[in-house]
């Protein structure tokens, strides 16, 4: 007699541990994707399509000014518009997004400010809506001895439009908070550009940039500490850009950096 309970060679399945599993939990990048036959797994394909849709939404969605005003809790702000009349034109004509329209420019009053904070939709209105006001509040706490102009919100704006705004308002430096070009792992990343003595035609080499600010990247509190250090150095040395190196104390940043998050379950 034979023992029929024993599996035949065809019934035996050997399951090998996935060597990529541990690495996937450390990054939002799509690494070591599995396969089903000759195709990618349905879960990976669907996740990719969802990320692509989020990126497109981030680019085309209008800036949610009402939500930002709610976040400001009654603080005054100025709302202006670039020379791009609408989103499709803005995306096709980057030059129009770098200048204010005539009505907006005429409405800015000249003052004497240490700095002005400007937020623009850029290429991710979602990022600007979610992150700009929180950073602005964090900076006000760190710059209590500074004279700060009211927050300026720009529709259809690019980085350079902050130069014209600061020059019109008489601000010594401008902090531009703007939505970054979305990728397929992050659609809500915000960047910051700091420029001392801004003017129309200011080269990009005269700016300092902090990027990748979002819940899974550079945290708001860390970005605020780093920006405050750069602003104080800029005021003391009267410059920004390639001549102002990022020498912020590393210990300050490391201590305030939270531990890495587990990778999103849907990615």
């Amino acid at each position: 007699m034979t023992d029929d309970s024993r599996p035949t060679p065809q019934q035996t399945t050997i399951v090998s541990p996935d060597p990529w599993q541990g690495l996937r939990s450390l990054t939002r990048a799509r690494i070591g994707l599995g396969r089903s036959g000759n195709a990618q797994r349905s879960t990976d394909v669907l996740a990719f399509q969802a990320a692509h849709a989020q990126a497109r939404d981030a680019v085309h969605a209008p800036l949610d000014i009402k939500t930002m005003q709610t976040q400001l809790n009654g603080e005054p702000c100025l709302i202006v518009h670039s020379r791009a009349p609408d989103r499709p034109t803005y995306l096709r004509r980057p030059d129009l997004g770098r200048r204010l329209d005539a009505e907006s420019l005429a409405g800015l009053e000249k003052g004497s400010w240490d700095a002005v904070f400007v937020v623009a939709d850029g290429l991710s209105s979602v990022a600007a809506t979610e992150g700009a006001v929180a950073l602005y509040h964090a900076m006000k706490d760190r710059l209590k001895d500074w004279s700060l102009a009211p927050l300026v919100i720009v529709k259809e704006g690019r980085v350079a439009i902050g130069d014209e705004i600061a020059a019109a308002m008489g601000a010594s430096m401008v902090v531009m908070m703007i939505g970054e070009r979305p990728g397929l792992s992050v659609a809500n990343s915000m960047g910051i550009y700091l420029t001392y003595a801004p003017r129309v035609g200011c080269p990009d080499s005269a700016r300092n940039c902090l990027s990748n600010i979002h819940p899974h990247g550079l945290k708001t509190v860390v970005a605020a500490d780093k920006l405050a250090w750069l602003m104080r150095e800029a005021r003391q040395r009267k410059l920004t850009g390639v001549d102002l190196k990022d020498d912020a104390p590393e210990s300050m940043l490391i201590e305030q950096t939270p531990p890495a998050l587990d990778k999103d379950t849907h990615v």
Side-chain angles (χ1 to χ4, degrees):
M1 295 181 60
T2 59
D3 185 359
D4 295 335
S5 64
R6 290 182 301 174
T8 65
Q10 290 77 14
Q11 294 174 317
T12 303
T13 302
I14 300 176
V15 179
S16 301
D18 183 356
W20 290 95
Q21 187 59 42
L23 296 176
R24 290 194 196 100
S25 66
L26 302 176
T27 176
R28 292 167 62 82
R30 291 175 172 80
I31 61 174
L33 299 181
R35 305 193 67 84
S36 177
N38 292 327
Q40 290 185 329
R41 297 180 304 185
S42 296
T43 52
D44 295 331
V45 173
L46 293 174
F48 181 89
Q49 292 175 340
H52 186 255
Q54 289 173 339
R56 289 180 59 87
D57 287 348
V59 171
H60 294 283
L63 188 62
D64 191 347
I65 294 177
K66 186 176 181 180
T67 294
M68 298 177 70
Q69 289 176 315
T70 301
Q71 296 170 351
L72 285 168
N73 294 321
E75 286 188 55
C77 66
L78 303 174
I79 300 172
V80 297
H81 205 292
S82 75
R83 294 182 181 179
D86 50 50
R87 197 66 179 169
T89 304
Y90 168 81
L91 294 174
R92 291 194 303 268
R93 291 286 305 275
D95 56 315
L96 297 181
R98 300 186 182 108
R99 298 296 301 273
L100 285 171
D101 65 11
E103 182 180 357
S104 296
L105 183 58
L108 297 178
E109 295 184 3
K110 193 87 170 184
S112 180
W113 308 101
D114 290 328
V116 59
F117 283 75
V118 180
V119 52
D121 34 19
L123 291 176
S124 175
S125 57
V126 175
T129 301
E130 293 179 355
V133 173
L135 180 68
Y136 174 64
H137 284 155
M139 293 308 300
K140 290 187 69 176
D141 291 339
R142 287 161 173 77
L143 302 173
K144 292 181 178 179
D145 57 334
W146 287 51
S147 173
L148 301 179
L151 179 69
V152 180
I153 300 174
V154 188
K155 292 188 282 187
E156 318 298 358
R158 294 184 184 269
V159 173
I161 202 170
D163 301 335
E164 188 170 30
I165 292 171
M169 298 181 70
S172 298
M173 66 180 77
V174 59
V175 177
M176 170 59 81
M177 303 173 286
I178 191 166
E180 296 180 325
R181 185 187 306 275
L184 291 175
S185 59
V186 178
N188 59 344
S189 180
M190 187 178 72
I192 304 172
Y193 292 84
L194 172 65
T195 309
Y196 184 84
R199 55 180 173 78
V200 175
C202 192
D204 288 340
S205 59
R207 313 186 197 281
N208 286 86
C209 177
L210 301 175
S211 64
N212 203 35
I213 302 169
H214 58 87
H216 299 283
L218 187 65
K219 304 301 180 186
T220 298
V221 63
V222 180
D225 282 343
K226 203 174 190 66
L227 178 60
W229 185 91
L230 287 169
M231 293 180 71
R232 292 192 181 96
E233 288 293 311
R235 184 163 71 168
Q236 179 180 356
R237 299 170 58 180
K238 302 186 183 308
L239 56 81
T240 48
V242 294
D243 292 325
L244 178 57
K245 302 302 181 187
D246 177 10
D247 292 324
E250 290 294 335
S251 58
M252 175 180 65
L253 303 177
I254 293 174
E255 289 174 0
Q256 296 190 13
T257 301
L261 300 174
D262 291 334
K263 188 181 175 185
D264 290 353
T265 55
H266 68 276
V267 176

